[in-house]
Amino acid sequence: MAKPNEQVVALSSINTRVRFEQWANNPECAANTMSAVLNVPMAAVAQSLGYQGNKGTSPFAVARGMTFEHDLFKDEAQRLRDGLERAEVLPEGTVGFEDFRLPRNRGSKVKSLDEAISGSREFLHYLSKNSLVSVPSITTGLTLRLAKGQMLPEATLILDVMTIHPQEDGKFVLRVGEIKVFPDRGGYTDPQHLASARAQAGVYKEALENWIELEGLGESLSVSHLGFLVFTWPGSGWPVIRGNEDLREQADRARRGFKQFDDSASDLVGVNSAEYEPSEYAEWVAHSETKYKEACWGFCDLAPRCQDLALRQDRGIVLGTEAAKLLGTTSMTRALELLDGALPETEFEESLKSQLRNADWGDE
């Protein structure tokens, strides 16, 4: 029998939510995509290249996140329901809550990942056949085993939260939501936090739509292009709901990502995907093309190595995203030469020199 810690490791390799989120943070990066597809931890890749992995998850952040979600879903998800009604995601007076969370996530109904998968499937099939009965309006922990092998050893996705909306024609519309312990500050909310949450919700939408289609439930169930994000009030554990988030663009990107995952898994591992060993592919990830940006420091252990590469290549991205946009393909060395009085050789350099001067990047 597997020891408890071995069971946790096994579950984490199968529950691909974190790996989906890793990919969504930088889908343009081939190394990041390979790491997510093949279940090769970036920390191991960084260490193999002589860099110290330092992106371990803070236990305090994990505890805060679990407490936030626990408070949202206790008492039949009353705190979350109140927020969803205020944001007009749900109409007033809705009832019913279905919980598929595992015990380690403070769920009590299901006892194992397989039970969560089978229970979720039975629930969605039940919805498709019972249009005239009362159904729960909120679910959490809905667990889907995706039919195609987009991730290895298998692709299993756990949805944070989903709302169920009966229609006059007897069908049901499903809306997906993403929960983050990010402070919502209105127009000053961290753009990267927003982008990450929206991307994850887009993955949920695409995966759920694909699952419904493959199960043949499309005549009774549909997924709304509108989703919602659940953040926190600054300095508080109360939720802020961003309703009516249009997820079509994010779902399209997820669709392209799934195709990329599937192609990569087939090309690299082939038909023996059930028997492959992730550690054998660490070198492949290490030498895949990267797409370095500021946000990488928040989630990727390979960021220090990518920054070193950018420095050696004299690229403006090491000065930040805005500087990289301003410099374009111009190297930092050439930008400094222009500031020191070098004559521009192209119209772009002429414009760049003027912009740099106007931004007080140098002295006249």
Side-chain angles (χ1 to χ4, degrees), residues 231-264:
F231 291 166
T232 62
W233 285 108
S236 164
W238 289 88
V240 176
I241 311 295
R242 286 178 170 254
N244 298 321
E245 289 279 338
D246 192 324
L247 301 177
R248 283 175 289 194
E249 181 179 344
Q250 286 81 5
D252 285 343
R253 187 173 72 167
R255 188 176 304 114
R256 295 191 298 271
F258 284 149
K259 179 63 166 60
Q260 184 179 358
F261 294 160
D262 193 43
D263 290 345
S264 298

Side-chain angles (χ1 to χ4, degrees), residues 46 73 107 169 194 236 285 300:
F73 294 122
D169 59 4
L194 278 174
S236 164
V285 176
C300 183

Side-chain angles (χ1 to χ4, degrees), residues 31-214:
N32 185 53
T33 299
M34 291 297 98
S35 168
V37 170
L38 299 174
N39 197 25
V40 177
M42 275 299 194
V45 176
Q47 290 172 6
S48 72
L49 295 170
Y51 292 86
Q52 182 63 43
N54 59 359
K55 294 297 177 292
T57 303
S58 163
F60 300 104
V62 172
R64 183 174 176 233
M66 293 189 68
T67 299
F68 179 56
E69 291 199 9
H70 172 71
D71 290 342
L72 288 178
F73 294 122
K74 71 181 181 182
D75 300 326
E76 296 291 291
Q78 190 58 52
R79 181 177 290 192
L80 176 60
R81 188 183 307 278
D82 290 343
L84 291 171
E85 291 180 358
R86 284 194 299 271
E88 300 183 348
V89 174
L90 287 176
E92 293 185 4
T94 60
V95 296
F97 173 60
E98 194 75 19
D99 190 352
F100 296 99
R101 291 176 297 170
L102 297 174
R104 60 193 176 96
N105 294 324
R106 303 191 181 185
S108 59
K109 178 182 176 180
V110 301
K111 304 302 180 184
S112 68
L113 184 65
D114 286 340
E115 191 174 329
I117 292 171
S118 62
S120 298
R121 184 177 185 275
E122 290 173 4
F123 176 73
L124 290 174
H125 275 268
Y126 172 81
L127 284 183
S128 72
K129 299 174 183 177
N130 293 274
S131 60
L132 300 179
V133 301
S134 176
V135 299
S137 56
I138 300 175
T139 71
T140 185
L142 192 79
T143 306
L144 307 176
R145 176 174 285 144
L146 306 186
K148 296 177 69 177
Q150 289 101 342
M151 285 187 170
L152 302 173
E154 67 179 40
T156 301
L157 194 62
I158 302 176
L159 278 64
D160 271 359
V161 60
M162 183 182 76
T163 55
I164 301 170
H165 304 259
Q167 305 298 295
E168 293 182 357
D169 59 4
K171 299 179 180 180
F172 292 99
V173 173
L174 312 177
R175 291 181 64 173
V176 298
E178 167 72 350
I179 299 172
K180 292 289 189 185
V181 193
F182 295 152
D184 185 274
R185 297 187 174 92
Y188 298 95
T189 301
D190 188 309
Q192 181 59 31
H193 287 171
L194 278 174
S196 174
R198 287 169 178 153
Q200 188 67 40
V203 168
Y204 292 157
K205 170 178 161 53
E206 170 60 20
L208 183 57
E209 282 185 323
N210 188 46
W211 189 94
I212 288 173
E213 180 182 354
L214 292 173

Side-chain angles (χ1 to χ4, degrees), residues 321-339:
T321 302
E322 293 304 315
K325 290 179 180 178
L326 177 62
L327 296 180
T329 58
T330 304
S331 69
M332 291 187 293
T333 298
R334 180 56 181 164
L336 290 174
E337 289 173 351
L338 292 171
L339 286 173

